[in-house]
Amino acid sequence: MPLHRLTSVTMGVPNVEETSAYYREFGLSPADDGWFATRDAGRQLRIVHAPTRRLVDLHIGVDDADDLDRAAGNLHRLGIDVRRGPGFISAVEQATGTVAYLEIADRFEQETVAAARYNGPGRYERAGQRAPGVVSTDQVRPRKLGHAVLGSTDFEGTQAFFVAGLGFKVSDYIKGVGAFMRCSTDHHNVLVLAAPVSFLHHTSWQVDDIDEVGRGAHLMLEDHPERHVWGLGRHYGGSNFFWYLKDPAGNFSEYYSDMDCIVDDQLWTPEDLQGARSLYSWGPPPPPSFLHPDDLAAMMAGAHTR
């Protein structure tokens, strides 16, 4: 596909310093001008000031100028204004106010990490030693940004912006209220959900395996149990292991591993997910605050007074 990766996101929060400290502890490496880097993909998160928490912008990699022209034409046909710059175009998604940038960028080739060795019935891949996941004391450091999830007051319009406008592909639907969309071979890079107010629900960060999902969350919760939101579990949409935590601004942050990969569009059929399957395959049931964050009412009231 012409789109090939989610390059970065900018998160707006009212408490920049406190939120930045959280993401340093989460395992991202601070850079300059509010940026944070992942282990493999460089600068992928920028934190800036905003009156309420929101996704300010996201950047998507494309191959060449033809890809930019194609997307610009699609956006114009939707009646959306496009700004052009050297090597990029940008457009505002109206319901959420998020600015999407398509930019010419090198394709991201992630180095192979050796799979963890597991013992199983009749299979002893690790003999005479404890599992690395129980003896490691290193900080868990995310490999790359996986996806961002947006609540939108115009779910269909936001979906059209990403799919018909920018060129994302739909991987699965949450019947009537959500769409998992990809701009890479990952199952999803953006999930849009119908919501009473537009907001950033969560960002998701890849780690090596289920041990790192659990170990990362354990370390984050050791002195701050109030950060826990939901986990450990495994999603159906995307198949990934997950654990969700809450940052000081109220955004959720997810450690994930083992995401579905869609290399050939012809071999994948989107499903209309309903009920529990739209949320998870196994794990504890999601708390009400995951589906309806505690500060949603305050954000709604603020939106009506602006």
Side-chain angles (χ1 to χ4, degrees):
M1 63 191 304
L3 313 182
H4 57 75
R5 63 175 164 133
L6 179 60
T7 308
S8 68
V9 295
T10 298
M11 175 192 299
V13 299
N15 49 345
V16 172
E17 289 188 10
E18 190 180 3
T19 303
S20 296
Y22 171 94
Y23 284 98
R24 284 195 296 272
E25 190 177 345
F26 189 78
L28 302 182
S29 300
D32 58 344
D33 197 26
W35 280 97
F36 289 82
T38 54
R39 191 171 178 178
D40 293 346
R43 301 196 315 174
Q44 293 204 278
L45 172 67
R46 185 165 61 110
I47 300 175
V48 301
H49 182 267
T52 59
R53 60 187 182 88
R54 58 183 295 262
L55 183 64
V56 176
D57 65 42
L58 73 167
H59 291 240
I60 299 116
V62 302
D63 288 324
D64 52 42
D66 287 343
D67 297 332
L68 298 179
D69 290 341
R70 185 182 306 108
N74 291 338
L75 290 164
H76 281 307
R77 280 188 284 277
L78 293 175
I80 297 170
D81 292 334
V82 175
R83 184 168 73 91
R84 288 182 175 270
F88 77 89
I89 63 169
S90 66
V92 179
E93 198 291 301
Q94 292 300 311
T96 62
T98 299
V99 183
Y101 290 85
L102 295 190
E103 54 194 11
I104 297 172
D106 294 334
R107 288 194 173 241
F108 174 58
E109 296 294 336
Q110 203 167 15
E111 291 188 11
T112 301
V113 175
R117 292 178 297 159
Y118 291 102
N119 295 335
R123 186 186 78 253
Y124 302 103
E125 299 175 357
R126 189 195 71 255
Q129 57 184 309
R130 299 187 194 278
V134 305
V135 298
S136 178
T137 58
D138 294 341
Q139 182 184 24
V140 171
R141 295 182 56 211
R143 293 282 182 178
K144 69 172 184 177
L145 169 66
H147 57 266
V149 176
L150 295 173
S152 172
T153 55
D154 180 7
F155 156 65
E156 292 181 348
T158 303
Q159 179 185 333
F161 175 87
F162 281 98
V163 177
L166 300 182
F168 278 60
K169 305 279 189 178
V170 174
S171 300
D172 284 310
Y173 295 96
I174 301 174
K175 190 173 180 63
V177 297
F180 294 91
M181 303 173 292
R182 67 185 186 275
C183 62
S184 72
T185 56
D186 289 342
H187 176 271
H188 57 285
N189 302 107
V190 172
L191 166 60
V192 59
L193 298 167
V197 64
S198 295
F199 70 104
L200 173 62
H201 186 276
H202 73 264
T203 57
S204 185
W205 305 87
Q206 183 196 54
V207 295
D208 286 358
D209 53 33
I210 188 173
D211 274 308
E212 288 215 333
V213 172
R215 206 164 59 78
H218 175 78
L219 292 170
M220 289 292 288
L221 295 172
E222 204 164 26
D223 296 323
H224 295 278
E226 74 282 357
R227 291 172 172 171
H228 173 71
V229 178
W230 184 29
L232 170 74
R234 187 160 193 151
H235 287 303
Y236 183 88
S239 298
N240 53 292
F241 297 108
F242 66 82
W243 201 316
Y244 294 90
L245 308 166
K246 185 163 68 172
D247 74 23
N251 304 297
F252 302 147
S253 58
E254 177 189 16
Y255 289 119
Y256 82 88
S257 69
D258 194 22
M259 177 72 72
D260 285 336
C261 179
I262 304 172
V263 176
D264 187 340
D265 295 340
Q266 303 304 312
L267 301 179
W268 185 270
T269 302
E271 293 185 39
D272 233 350
L273 308 180
Q274 300 182 63
R277 179 171 282 192
S278 69
L279 292 164
Y280 66 128
S281 176
W282 59 257
S289 62
F290 182 80
L291 303 175
H292 301 284
D294 296 336
D295 59 351
L296 213 57
M299 286 193 287
M300 290 171 62
H304 288 306
T305 58
R306 286 197 293 274

